[in-house]
Amino acid sequence: MQRRNILTLFFILFLLIEGTKAQEKINLSYKQPATEWTEALPVGNGSLGAMIYGGVSQEHIQFNEETLWRGQPHDYSNKDAGDYLNEIRLLLTEGKQMEAQKLAQQEFMSEPLQQVHYQPFGDIYIDFKNHDNYTNYKRELNLNNAIGSVSYTVEGVEYKREVLSSFPDQIIAVNLTSSKSKALNFDLWLDAIHEDKAVKTNGSTQTLEVKVKDGALRGVSTLRVETNGTIKTVGGKLQISKASKATIYLTAATNYIDFEDVSGEPEKMVPEILTKVASTNFKAVKEKHISDYQSLYNRFEISFGDNGKSKNPTDQRISDFSSDPNDPQLVALYVAYARYLTLASSRPGTKPATLQGIWNDKLTPPWFSSYTTNINLEMNYWPVEMYNLSECHEPLFDLIEDLSITGAKVAKAHYNAEGWIAHHNIDIWRGAAPVNASHHGIWLGGAAWLSTHIWEHYLFTQDKVFLKEKYRLIQEAALFYSQYLYKDPKTGYLISSPSNSPEIGGLVAGPTMDHQIIRALFNISVEAAEILDVDAAFSNDIKALIPKIAPNKIGKYGQLQEWMEDNDDPENHHRHVSHLWAVHPGNEINYEDTPDLMNAAKQSLEYRGDNGTGWSLAWKINFWSRFRDGDHAYKLLHNLLSPAERADGKEGGGSYPNLFDAHPPFQIDGNFGGASGILEMILQSHLDKIELLPALPMALPEGRVSGIVARGGFELSFSWEEGQLKGVSVLSKSGLPCVLKYNDKTIEFKTEAGKTYHFDGLLNEK
């Protein structure tokens, strides 16, 4: 036994050493510049994002600032909508769906009917003369230090540039060098696709001013060049000559303060930010950026082994994966990339990641590049706790705080209820009313689903101070649904009406998804109140409502019913599978407590099929992981990591050459949801225990992970070989009892906060 323990420790040490080596190779790499936006490489610091094309004769860096949107402070609620609620409900009860939808469209929707678009900010252009004939081209995004780089050789001179978006300095920095003295010559300028724009040049700086169309927001961006060459202005461009190095610092800001205030002064903010880096140099900026980034990124590491394909360019690997999904390092890279994108698009103090994260190059982006709460926004945050970036959850909590204000107005105006509500789409002005069309815009799950993220953060961190601070949001959401639920005249159950099952079936009474989420919210509200020892009377009232809510039902095809009526169509292959919410991200339906419902949910998923858009494939990977069918989950991962060839808008997701998820077009939720599904293959903790390798696919027979987090405040490191667990370490952060399960063996042990516990592959303590 002693020899076995020594060998196990040696193996873990070997993996750690090898992991350090492998970590140096975590990057996206290419042999040619980007020609399309979805080939460019993203950098970001939560508020400033940029896409690097890596051109030779001309570099193009398209950039965004998170608060540049159309529109202006606005209350989207319809003050007369509540007058029609009962009539809409009656029409639905009588089976008059079309009449209900028509009335709702006319009288119940937001004012105005549509929200507004997230906007691109501007573009940096750098022209290099006589660089047409080049060799040794290399373009990379290093995930270990969050730096994009381009290098190539022209006439024996090596040219290199690095691009980063610094969180501590709040700038984008572009550093250019040449291996030969005075060989670096380029023209530099700013531009934008906005109609209302102006560019001003002053010495070594250039400033871009933009004003959004149809809105109150304006933006200011300034770049400054530092170089050992000469700078002059020629034709509105900065011309840098006879340099061997040059650094471009850029920052941007708008007049947005919050969803009610646009009195900001970007023309003052921008020079103040640039002044702070005026006394430093690129080396110091880079070191500060890397230190800040790695303090978060290095908490977690994952590997599934490397069969040598990691040496190939990333676009080639994606293409090859479609025919031969045997590239385990690409799967690990996908998780690492998701963590990178989280850090780049959602930092404490910034806004949450939109449908496109923080990156957008269009004045009218798909789906407004907004926050869609019937799956997509929440999916952006599914993996943050598990892959040890808990503080990156904070921007979502800030948004929930805002929605509790605007959503309270909607609750009162539309539903004659207290508390707060959010519907399926939200913009920067925090519009919480139903938008676009009644047949899919009147969806009631937003407040409940978002509130579960507060609870999940507590479950992973065991932070009671946080729970106490945010409890009001949970309680007020529960208050709304307690008053909104409607007694169905046909069944006597409490149901959600009017609503819909996203985005299928039209306006209905009693969609299954709503009831699952509301039950989850009520249970959370009750449990949170007990933990905090508050609101006993309200908690008892909520507890009494739970068994009165319409239950999950199994239909005539053996499926989990999507609606109150048994009218599911097994030939329907719609991308939404919303009625399986209680399987994932919920946990009401599971093999231990509700095996019949779990089998029915699985039947529903089989009927719905394996095709889908990018985020739909990602959700299905999570479902199949919860079904403990890792091979089926990997089959869908195969689709998700294959090329996004169907860029015509038709269903069929995949990945673009830069590994962005394809709806198509680009939506970032699939990146995050796919990473969540991969993690669910190797660890699950949603049933009051930590299950190791619960859905490990045959395609990933070996691997290791360190820094993965489980509910209850536990951080784990473990490895496996030939599909079998080799050893596991559990760090207890909260001191709670731990239940650990692998295959048929379960152990339970008490823990002390701050102490690490070690077990071998048979869960014997070492």
Side-chain angles (χ1 to χ4, degrees):
M1 180 63 72
Q2 185 177 6
R3 181 174 180 273
R4 182 190 217 171
N5 290 341
I6 291 172
L7 288 173
T8 301
L9 289 172
F10 176 79
F11 179 70
I12 293 173
L13 179 62
F14 171 77
L15 286 175
L16 290 173
I17 294 171
E18 288 300 303
T20 302
K21 294 179 182 177
Q23 194 177 47
E24 298 171 0
K25 302 176 184 177
I26 302 297
N27 58 36
L28 281 68
S29 64
Y30 305 84
K31 292 184 177 180
Q32 70 286 328
T35 58
E36 302 289 341
W37 192 84
T38 48
E39 296 174 358
L41 295 175
V43 294
N45 64 11
S47 57
L48 287 174
M51 297 293 287
I52 311 159
Y53 281 72
V56 178
S57 295
Q58 182 182 83
E59 172 65 284
H60 176 199
I61 301 174
Q62 184 268 322
F63 65 94
N64 295 83
E65 198 280 338
E66 63 173 348
T67 61
L68 192 68
W69 289 63
R70 289 188 187 178
Q72 57 194 352
H74 183 74
D75 175 11
Y76 283 95
S77 63
N78 180 342
K79 62 182 178 63
D80 297 322
D83 296 341
Y84 299 90
L85 177 62
N86 289 335
E87 186 175 353
I88 294 169
R89 283 175 165 169
L90 179 60
L91 289 171
L92 290 173
T93 300
E94 294 174 346
K96 299 176 181 178
Q97 185 189 56
M98 293 299 103
E99 290 91 331
Q101 287 182 181
K102 182 178 179 181
L103 178 61
Q105 188 70 29
Q106 292 173 342
E107 307 292 350
F108 203 76
M109 305 303 289
S110 67
E111 294 182 343
L113 187 59
Q114 290 190 326
Q115 295 176 344
V116 296
H117 301 78
Y118 177 45
Q119 299 287 276
F121 199 113
D123 302 88
I124 305 171
Y125 291 100
I126 310 172
D127 274 1
F128 300 92
K129 297 178 181 178
N130 302 317
H131 279 205
D132 295 327
N133 298 317
Y134 58 91
T135 58
N136 303 324
Y137 182 90
K138 190 175 184 179
R139 179 168 61 104
E140 289 188 336
L141 177 62
N142 188 329
L143 303 186
N144 296 108
N145 61 18
I147 295 176
S149 64
V150 177
S151 62
Y152 56 89
T153 301
V154 176
E155 296 182 351
V157 180
E158 182 183 10
Y159 294 90
K160 184 176 181 179
R161 53 185 175 266
E162 295 179 298
V163 185
L164 60 86
S165 184
S166 167
F167 180 74
D169 284 321
Q170 287 298 300
I171 56 168
I172 293 171
V174 184
N175 192 57
L176 305 98
T177 60
S178 65
S179 63
K180 181 181 177 181
S181 178
K182 299 184 179 181
L184 188 61
N185 303 281
F186 61 89
D187 292 345
L188 167 69
W189 74 98
L190 289 170
D191 201 355
I193 59 174
H194 293 275
E195 294 178 10
D196 192 343
K197 64 184 177 182
V199 179
K200 303 173 184 177
T201 306
N202 182 15
S204 62
T205 69
Q206 191 169 86
T207 297
L208 168 68
E209 298 177 352
V210 299
K211 173 77 168 60
V212 301
K213 186 177 182 180
D214 301 324
L217 293 178
R218 56 189 174 81
V220 175
S221 177
T222 297
L223 63 76
R224 186 181 72 243
V225 183
E226 295 181 359
T227 180
N228 61 356
T230 61
I231 306 175
K232 61 181 179 179
T233 302
V234 178
K237 301 176 182 179
L238 294 173
Q239 189 175 87
I240 290 81
S241 305
K242 297 181 179 180
S244 57
K245 61 181 180 180
T247 303
I248 304 164
Y249 297 113
L250 176 140
T251 194
T254 76
N255 56 312
Y256 181 91
I257 300 294
D258 59 42
F259 69 94
E260 297 176 308
D261 186 352
V262 292
S263 64
E265 299 178 296
E267 56 280 338
K268 292 183 179 179
M269 296 168 59
V270 165
E272 288 175 359
I273 294 171
L274 287 178
T275 297
K276 292 179 181 178
V277 295
S279 60
T280 187
N281 54 43
F282 178 73
K283 180 181 178 182
V285 168
K286 178 179 175 179
E287 288 176 351
K288 189 191 296 186
H289 158 74
I290 292 175
S291 177
D292 165 75
Y293 173 79
Q294 290 186 344
S295 68
L296 298 169
Y297 182 81
N298 286 354
R299 295 174 181 171
F300 174 100
E301 187 181 353
I302 192 167
S303 172
F304 297 117
D306 190 342
N307 60 7
K309 292 185 178 181
S310 64
K311 297 177 182 178
N312 297 331
T314 305
D315 50 345
Q316 178 185 331
R317 296 172 71 186
I318 296 169
S319 179
D320 291 346
F321 203 80
S322 62
S323 58
D324 179 17
N326 180 26
D327 188 349
Q329 201 275 341
L330 183 62
V331 179
L333 177 65
Y334 199 79
V335 177
Y337 190 48
R339 295 186 77 246
Y340 168 82
L341 293 173
T342 291
L343 285 166
S345 63
S346 186
R347 288 290 202 106
T350 71
K351 303 296 177 285
T354 72
L355 277 171
Q356 279 76 34
I358 197 173
W359 302 278
N360 165 44
D361 66 332
K362 295 179 175 60
L363 293 173
T364 54
W367 306 285
F368 301 86
S369 189
S370 60
Y371 304 103
T372 302
T373 59
N374 64 16
I375 176 63
N376 313 92
L377 173 60
E378 293 87 351
M379 185 179 283
N380 284 355
Y381 290 89
W382 282 355
V384 291
E385 302 291 343
M386 281 190 78
Y387 59 34
N388 217 331
L389 292 177
S390 187
E391 51 272 87
C392 292
H393 222 154
E394 291 180 20
L396 185 66
F397 305 142
D398 294 340
L399 179 143
I400 296 171
E401 290 275 5
D402 290 348
L403 286 175
S404 72
I405 299 171
T406 59
K409 296 177 181 178
V410 175
K412 183 64 67 175
H414 288 248
Y415 301 99
N416 307 306
E418 299 173 281
W420 68 279
I421 180 58
H423 291 79
H424 93 292
N425 223 58
I426 298 160
D427 59 16
I428 199 169
W429 311 112
R430 303 307 184 237
V435 297
N436 299 341
S438 63
H439 67 275
H440 68 261
I442 302 177
W443 174 76
L444 272 292
W449 195 341
L450 289 170
S451 294
T452 67
H453 278 258
I454 296 172
W455 182 245
E456 286 293 306
H457 181 77
Y458 168 74
L459 291 180
F460 277 94
T461 64
Q462 295 297 303
D463 186 345
K464 290 185 180 179
V465 174
F466 167 83
L467 184 63
K468 184 176 181 180
E469 290 174 349
K470 303 300 182 185
Y471 169 74
R472 174 188 62 83
L473 301 173
I474 296 174
Q475 188 269 342
E476 290 180 0
L479 176 62
F480 167 79
Y481 291 103
S482 71
Q483 297 179 6
Y484 160 75
L485 285 172
Y486 166 68
K487 187 174 182 180
D488 180 21
K490 297 179 180 178
T491 65
Y493 284 120
L494 294 178
I495 63 171
S496 172
S497 178
S499 190
N500 74 80
S501 188
E503 293 168 353
I504 179 174
L507 195 65
V508 297
T512 296
M513 182 195 207
D514 279 15
H515 301 151
Q516 294 173 347
I517 299 177
I518 295 169
R519 268 195 300 272
L521 173 66
F522 283 2
N523 282 312
I524 287 168
S525 177
V526 170
E527 193 166 350
E530 291 175 354
I531 292 169
L532 299 173
D533 193 21
V534 295
D535 271 354
F538 176 75
S539 185
N540 287 333
D541 291 342
I542 291 295
K543 190 182 299 185
L545 293 177
I546 295 173
K548 299 178 182 179
I549 300 172
N552 294 299
K553 294 194 292 185
I554 299 174
K556 58 190 174 185
Y557 299 108
Q559 87 287 5
L560 185 69
Q561 288 185 198
E562 190 163 359
W563 298 279
M564 294 286 290
E565 299 80 13
D566 188 2
N567 56 10
D568 297 84
D569 179 2
E571 299 301 318
N572 184 343
H573 304 303
H574 197 278
R575 62 185 180 270
H576 276 270
V577 201
S578 304
H579 56 303
L580 305 194
W581 188 94
V583 175
H584 183 280
N587 64 4
E588 176 189 5
I589 296 178
N590 59 78
Y591 280 127
E592 294 187 11
D593 303 315
T594 55
D596 291 344
L597 289 174
M598 194 69 162
N599 289 329
K602 186 176 180 180
Q603 181 66 77
S604 289
L605 190 57
E606 288 175 343
Y607 281 140
R608 202 54 58 94
D610 290 340
N611 292 324
T613 57
W615 65 261
S616 177
L617 292 172
W619 199 358
K620 290 174 181 179
I621 293 168
N622 286 270
F623 286 142
W624 285 112
S625 294
R626 288 280 173 96
F627 291 136
R628 297 173 182 158
D629 190 338
D631 290 334
H632 202 140
Y634 196 85
K635 177 184 177 184
L636 295 176
L637 183 63
H638 174 201
N639 295 340
L640 187 64
L641 280 171
S642 295
E645 296 173 349
R646 298 180 65 179
D648 55 2
K650 295 181 180 179
E651 300 220 340
S655 294
Y656 290 109
N658 63 1
L659 263 185
F660 270 172
D661 167 65
H663 181 286
F666 162 56
Q667 282 189 194
I668 205 168
D669 39 32
N671 288 100
F672 298 128
S676 171
I678 294 167
L679 297 182
E680 289 277 339
M681 293 177 186
I682 63 173
L683 186 145
Q684 296 178 18
S685 63
H686 58 289
L687 296 177
D688 298 323
K689 65 174 69 68
I690 302 171
E691 297 186 61
L692 301 173
L693 308 181
L696 185 69
M698 293 180 65
L700 302 174
E702 65 176 81
R704 57 178 172 76
V705 64
S706 62
I708 192 169
V709 182
R711 294 168 182 84
F714 300 104
E715 184 176 313
L716 293 90
S717 298
F718 56 93
S719 62
W720 63 97
E721 197 173 66
E722 296 181 351
Q724 299 298 312
L725 183 69
K726 302 300 293 183
V728 56
S729 297
V730 182
L731 168 63
S732 176
K733 294 183 175 181
S734 63
L736 289 178
C738 181
V739 180
L740 207 58
K741 183 179 187 297
Y742 173 63
N743 287 340
D744 295 329
K745 185 171 182 179
T746 301
I747 60 171
E748 183 172 0
F749 55 98
K750 295 181 179 179
T751 74
E752 296 178 19
K755 187 174 179 180
T756 301
Y757 302 83
H758 305 279
F759 304 88
D760 64 18
L762 300 175
L763 298 189
N764 296 311
E765 189 169 6
K766 296 189 297 184

